[in-house]
Amino acid sequence: MKILVCVGNVPDTTTKVRFAEKNTKFDTNGVQWVINPWDELALTRALELKEDSSNPVVHVTVATVGRAGAEPTMRKALAIGADDAIRIDTDPEDSSFVAYQLAEVIKNEDYQLVLCGIESSDYNGAAVGGMLSEYLDLPSVSAVTGMTFEGADIILSREIDGGIEEVSLPAPFVAVVQKGIAKEPRIPAMRGIMMARKKPLKVVEVAEAETLTNMTEFEMPKPKPPCKMIEAENVAELVDLLQNEAKVL
Amino acid sequence: MAVLVYTENWDGAFKKQSFELVSYANAIAEMLNVPVIALSIGEVKEEELLKLSNYGADKVLKVENDQVNTLDNQIFTQVIGEAVANENASVVILAHSNTGKALAPRLSVRLKAGLATGVNQVPVTVEPFVIRKKVFSGKAFTHVNVKTPVKVLTLAQNSFELVENKKEFNTESLSPAALPKAATEVRSTNKQTGKILLADAEIVVSGGRGMRGKENWDPIEELAEILKAGTACSRPVSDEGWRPHSEHTGQTGKIIAPNLYFAFGISGAIQHLAGVSSSKCIVAVNTDPDAPIFEAADYGIIGDAQKVLPELVSAFKKMKS
Ligand SMILES: Cc1cc2nc3c(=O)[nH]c(=O)nc-3n(C[C@H](O)[C@H](O)[C@H](O)COP(=O)(O)OP(=O)(O)OC[C@H]3O[C@@H](n4cnc5c(N)ncnc54)[C@H](O)[C@@H]3O)c2cc1C
Ligand SMILES: Nc1ncnc2c1ncn2[C@@H]1O[C@H](COP(=O)(O)O)[C@@H](O)[C@H]1O
């Protein structure tokens, strides 16, 4: 069984967000790029499943839609342990465009399991995984927090309102994963970094597709009024403020 | 033309989230001057369906079918897609919940409709259709222009006020075309009972590493009980196993927007704030006056959570009595 993990290249979560060109573009100056945090967890889980020889997983591929600037992130994914990488050479326009590009690549391959993260930490689309499954006409499971094999069957835990459900379904399918899928993301070791240099990173041309949305402008949130400090000995005052000033009780 | 809103039910009942969705759908329908169709999938009694019309549903469309008793994304997408086509809806609204996030992207592709997720207000303009949403986990906002004739939106939870808008109760059944066999087989369901769900909670009491260990959570639980609040935690707390993963809020955990959020012993890292900064009011208790949480908070107490918590518990008890 081959697993494909879709990985986005996103600004590090501590990035100071700034915009350029009259607030119409994200300013990438000085930005540190990383693997989208959920994708890193998805990749970690895929590798754990592959390493356990009782499972049928034999190969883990990572794919991204992005320009050459995304290559360090792909190399990091290879260093963590992915067997090979695919980069679809175009800017990730909107989510349906990205999902379409991934679908075009996947439909000619025999991945039994496609993993996506729940959302990208930059534009917070929470969309590509579901869109991809619909383009491929494959079943999908979302909010996946656990994945194991029972023989050849894949058992998934998915989060539902107020609980967890265990589901299974026949491969191939798309799983959209979130926190819990792996305990902690793997960090590349020296050996992995050396090996990553020799692993295949295939560059694929963009397929023609339309976008359905575009972002016209950005804004920063309004500054918040300063925090009102209350003496630790005086919690009654806090209760009063919450009741009568903030009116939230 | 119409606005179609999918109102999920929980064991045959709706909750506040459902009425928020209908209120929101009604606000957009007024801008477009079209009716609101609420779609309900699964078995729900008439008197429960009627509640949807109190918030502005002109028609309640119900689908009852053995195939829709558990969530299979393909089947639900097919059913909602069919309803959208039948009703000629131009705007389709779902909750930005686990279910909504599973279905809206599929629907978007099926309907060739642009998608805007996690929105929290009505469009800035409807022609062109431009809507504001948070990006960079709350560090900024963007205006999304949805270019297609049909639009799919997911509404962030607890972000739109309930507005009563009583309409005549009108219900119709939809029998979807032959549905395929569901691919998803549910093996077991494990639901927490009796607890207030984080996504539904209007007040949330949360603890961080400053709580120093799982054995210190009793006063947090107690405070939550008095305030009918949900409980939450920072990421290291769930990573340590002091609290379940389902309580972890922040960029990589849950994103919530309660009316009131208490942060006990939470430093206020940017990744934590990404999940809670939309709260209407934040109260922080921390021993460190320079903790970044005080920049995000509305009210702050510099002090030991272990000492402040019991005092708050008794102060709120007094308030309630
Ligand atoms: C990619 C990525 C994603 C992340 N996602 C998330 C996320 O989703 N959610 C999240 O929470 N974190 C996330 N983090 C981690 C985040 O950066 C912080 O490390 C984390 O939020 C810190 O948790 P904390 O505030 O509980 O602990 P600490 O930072 O250790 O803070 C503890 C606080 O408690 C105070 N304190 C100590 N003793 C007391 C006492 N007796 N009474 C009162 N206060 C006391 C201290 O002054 C301190 O401010 C993420 C990190 C990365 C890199
Ligand atoms: N440019 C991209 N290349 C590859 N995968 C992506 C890309 N953008 C998003 N994804 C995948 O889709 C998931 C959801 O992203 P989004 O819909 O953008 O929030 C991510 O966690 C990735 O798994």
Side-chain angles (χ1 to χ4, degrees), chain A residues 15 122 166 179 211 214 245, chain B residues 136 139 147 187 248 299:
Chain A
T15 301
D122 47 7
E166 281 213 338
K179 167 92 197 287
T211 60
N214 65 308
E245 188 180 73
Chain B
F136 294 97
K139 285 192 242 174
K147 301 186 285 186
R187 298 210 169 183
H248 154 202
Y299 301 105

Side-chain angles (χ1 to χ4, degrees), chain A residues 5-10 36-40 42 62-66 74 86 88 90-96 98-99 102 115-132 175-177, chain B residues 105 115 117 133:
Chain A
V5 184
C6 301
V7 302
N9 181 41
V10 296
N36 187 37
W38 296 274
D39 308 352
E40 203 175 18
V62 286
T64 197
V65 177
M74 298 313 273
I86 301 170
I88 304 163
T90 179
D91 288 315
E93 304 280 351
D94 72 342
S95 11
S96 83
V98 169
L102 291 165
L115 303 183
C116 283
I118 188 80
E119 69 173 44
S120 304
S121 62
D122 47 7
Y123 299 111
N124 311 135
V128 168
M131 288 178 164
L132 176 59
V176 178
V177 310
Chain B
L115 171 69
T117 53
K133 67 161 278 188

Side-chain angles (χ1 to χ4, degrees), chain B residues 8 26 58-59 64 69 80 83 96 121-122 138 146 180-181 200 236 262 271 280 300:
Chain B
E8 184 177 359
N26 193 61
D58 294 278
K59 181 162 90 182
E64 292 181 353
N69 292 336
I80 301 173
H96 197 59
Q121 50 191 235
V122 296
V146 185
K181 188 177 172 295
D200 297 339
F262 287 92
Q271 296 95 348
K280 292 189 184 84

Side-chain angles (χ1 to χ4, degrees), chain B:
Chain B
M1 299 276 256
V3 171
L4 186 136
V5 54
Y6 169 51
T7 44
E8 184 177 359
N9 71 79
W10 290 264
D11 300 320
F14 296 118
K15 53 188 186 188
K16 185 167 161 261
Q17 182 201 98
S18 328
F19 307 128
E20 268 171 24
L21 281 165
V22 182
S23 305
Y24 179 72
N26 193 61
I28 296 188
E30 279 175 3
M31 294 173 84
L32 295 167
N33 207 5
V34 298
V36 177
I37 319 284
L39 173 68
S40 166
I41 303 180
E43 259 175 66
V44 183
K45 294 215 172 73
E46 288 265 312
E47 67 251 37
E48 192 67 20
L49 291 172
L50 174 101
K51 293 181 188 164
L52 299 173
S53 62
N54 292 341
Y55 294 90
D58 294 278
K59 181 162 90 182
V60 178
L61 201 58
K62 58 174 185 194
V63 177
E64 292 181 353
N65 182 309
D66 283 347
Q67 291 272 72
V68 295
N69 292 336
T70 53
L71 178 65
D72 177 86
N73 295 342
Q74 275 173 307
I75 287 185
F76 272 61
T77 302
Q78 179 171 333
V79 170
I80 301 173
E82 218 175 293
V84 172
N86 287 353
E87 300 295 332
N88 192 20
S90 60
V91 179
V92 186
I93 300 167
L94 295 92
H96 197 59
S97 59
N98 288 324
T99 310
K101 283 190 244 181
L103 301 176
R106 294 200 74 130
L107 268 172
S108 151
V109 168
R110 174 162 297 220
L111 302 168
K112 298 191 173 52
L115 171 69
T117 53
V119 298
N120 63 4
Q121 50 191 235
V122 296
V124 184
T125 57
V126 288
E127 193 64 55
F129 196 94
V130 176
I131 196 156
R132 198 163 166 266
K133 67 161 278 188
K134 282 201 279 183
V135 285
F136 294 97
S137 307
K139 285 192 242 174
F141 293 91
T142 191
H143 285 189
V144 182
N145 176 20
V146 185
K147 301 186 285 186
T148 47
V150 181
K151 290 101 180 143
V152 180
L153 309 175
T154 62
L155 177 68
Q157 280 161 277
N158 204 29
S159 69
F160 198 79
E161 296 285 319
L162 293 185
V163 188
E164 282 207 38
N165 198 323
K166 215 172 161 67
K167 303 237 174 105
E168 199 181 317
F169 178 52
N170 236 315
T171 175
E172 217 175 81
S173 289
L174 168 73
S175 321
L179 295 169
K181 188 177 172 295
T184 318
E185 181 200 326
V186 175
R187 298 210 169 183
S188 65
T189 303
N190 190 350
K191 275 194 191 172
Q192 273 183 348
T193 45
K195 282 201 98 182
I196 293 184
L197 300 180
L198 208 40
D200 297 339
E202 293 184 27
I203 302 179
V204 172
V205 186
S206 185
R209 198 147 51 188
M211 291 299 296
R212 305 240 166 92
K214 64 163 20 138
E215 66 284 0
N216 297 326
W217 243 265
D218 289 353
I220 287 201
E221 298 264 8
E222 196 180 352
L223 184 58
E225 207 179 298
I226 296 166
L227 295 172
K228 297 202 174 46
T231 49
C233 67
S234 68
R235 176 162 112 173
V237 166
S238 66
D239 285 349
E240 291 288 339
W242 297 353
R243 302 295 296 177
H245 285 304
S246 59
E247 284 196 0
H248 154 202
T249 48
Q251 179 164 25
T252 45
K254 287 215 169 63
I255 295 172
I256 55 171
N259 293 339
L260 178 55
Y261 183 78
F262 287 92
F264 292 99
I266 294 177
S267 60
I270 189 96
Q271 296 95 348
H272 185 80
L273 296 178
V276 304
S277 61
S278 295
S279 307
K280 292 189 184 84
C281 178
I282 297 178
V283 174
V285 178
N286 198 303
T287 42
D288 175 6
D290 295 322
I293 188 76
F294 289 122
E295 280 158 44
D298 298 280
Y299 301 105
I301 293 179
I302 298 164
D304 182 347
Q306 305 303 337
K307 297 209 180 88
V308 175
L309 262 164
E311 288 189 32
L312 271 174
V313 166
S314 48
F316 281 115
K317 262 191 190 151
K318 210 156 125 201
M319 176 198 96
K320 291 276 170 181
S321 64

